[in-house]
Amino acid sequence: LTKIIIPSSVTKIGHYAFFLCKSLVEINIPASVTIIESNAFCECKSLKKINLPPFLKVLSESIFESCESLEEIEIPPSVNKIQHRAFLSCSSLTHIKIPPSVTIIEYGAFDSCKSLLHVELSSSLKIIEEYVFGGCKNLEQIEIPSSVTEIKARAFFCCTSLKHVVLPPSLKNIDPNAFENCFSL
């Protein structure tokens, strides 16, 4: 199984629907899909291309965890929440733009995305949770939007190439170890 075209009659993709489909390279999801549940594409190690439907509200827990070949993904402007470990260990992911609709990115969402070079954060984000960008070893710079008031512990843990961080005046709290092992900072 390398390519899937889901019919427009489908409105929901359930938990673990394509879990461990290691040869799956491309999937086309119709606009009719409004819910994709946790682990739906977890460990689809060859997945390179996926289009997300325009009315999706949540990127569920571990939805793309360990999709090691996923290089880029466009998050639709309808998404308001990225749950924990959504992109954990997507080791080929290089760029991510989080739309202004996203107000919550839960812990570990982009943890161990080792190739991540560029991140554009949502202008509505309030808190950067634990390990959100932990282990993003190639991330060199990040600009924290003015909406952010708190950076949690180990949010940027082991971002060893991180050299430049822009913090907003709205920031009220930086937890202990938020930038632990950021040797280049």
Side-chain angles (χ1 to χ4, degrees):
L1 185 64
T2 59
K3 182 178 179 181
I4 297 172
I5 299 171
I6 296 175
S8 59
S9 56
V10 174
T11 59
K12 175 180 163 185
I13 298 173
H15 301 285
Y16 296 93
F18 298 97
F19 179 66
L20 280 172
C21 289
K22 293 183 179 184
S23 299
L24 185 62
V25 175
E26 183 179 344
I27 187 159
N28 189 343
I29 303 173
S32 58
V33 173
T34 56
I35 297 170
I36 302 175
E37 293 183 329
S38 66
N39 298 282
F41 305 102
C42 183
E43 298 207 32
C44 291
K45 296 191 182 292
S46 299
L47 185 65
K48 288 184 185 229
K49 186 175 181 184
I50 187 164
N51 69 304
L52 293 175
F55 304 109
L56 195 63
K57 296 284 184 211
V58 175
L59 291 181
S60 299
E61 172 188 347
S62 299
I63 187 171
F64 297 110
E65 182 177 333
S66 296
C67 289
E68 296 171 353
S69 298
L70 189 63
E71 293 174 358
E72 282 190 52
I73 190 163
E74 185 176 331
I75 299 174
S78 57
V79 171
N80 57 33
K81 183 178 187 178
I82 300 173
Q83 290 187 334
H84 55 281
R85 300 188 318 265
F87 294 94
L88 176 70
S89 295
C90 288
S91 54
S92 295
L93 190 65
T94 58
H95 295 82
I96 195 80
K97 181 179 179 182
I98 301 167
S101 55
V102 174
T103 58
I104 299 167
I105 302 174
E106 292 182 349
Y107 73 88
F110 297 95
D111 192 359
S112 299
C113 290
K114 297 174 184 176
S115 298
L116 196 60
L117 296 170
H118 179 74
V119 176
E120 187 176 327
L121 291 172
S122 164
S123 58
S124 302
L125 193 60
K126 302 289 183 219
I127 297 171
I128 298 179
E129 294 287 345
E130 291 101 347
Y131 293 101
V132 166
F133 296 105
C136 293
K137 296 178 185 256
N138 283 311
L139 187 63
E140 291 185 4
Q141 62 182 12
I142 189 95
E143 184 172 343
I144 310 297
S146 60
S147 57
V148 172
T149 58
E150 185 172 4
I151 299 174
K152 295 281 196 175
R154 294 184 173 86
F156 294 94
F157 177 73
C158 278
C159 290
T160 53
S161 296
L162 190 61
K163 295 176 186 168
H164 186 74
V165 178
V166 177
L167 299 173
S170 59
L171 196 61
K172 303 231 185 288
N173 189 43
I174 300 173
D175 281 358
N177 306 93
F179 294 92
E180 182 179 343
N181 291 340
C182 292
F183 304 123
S184 301
L185 195 60

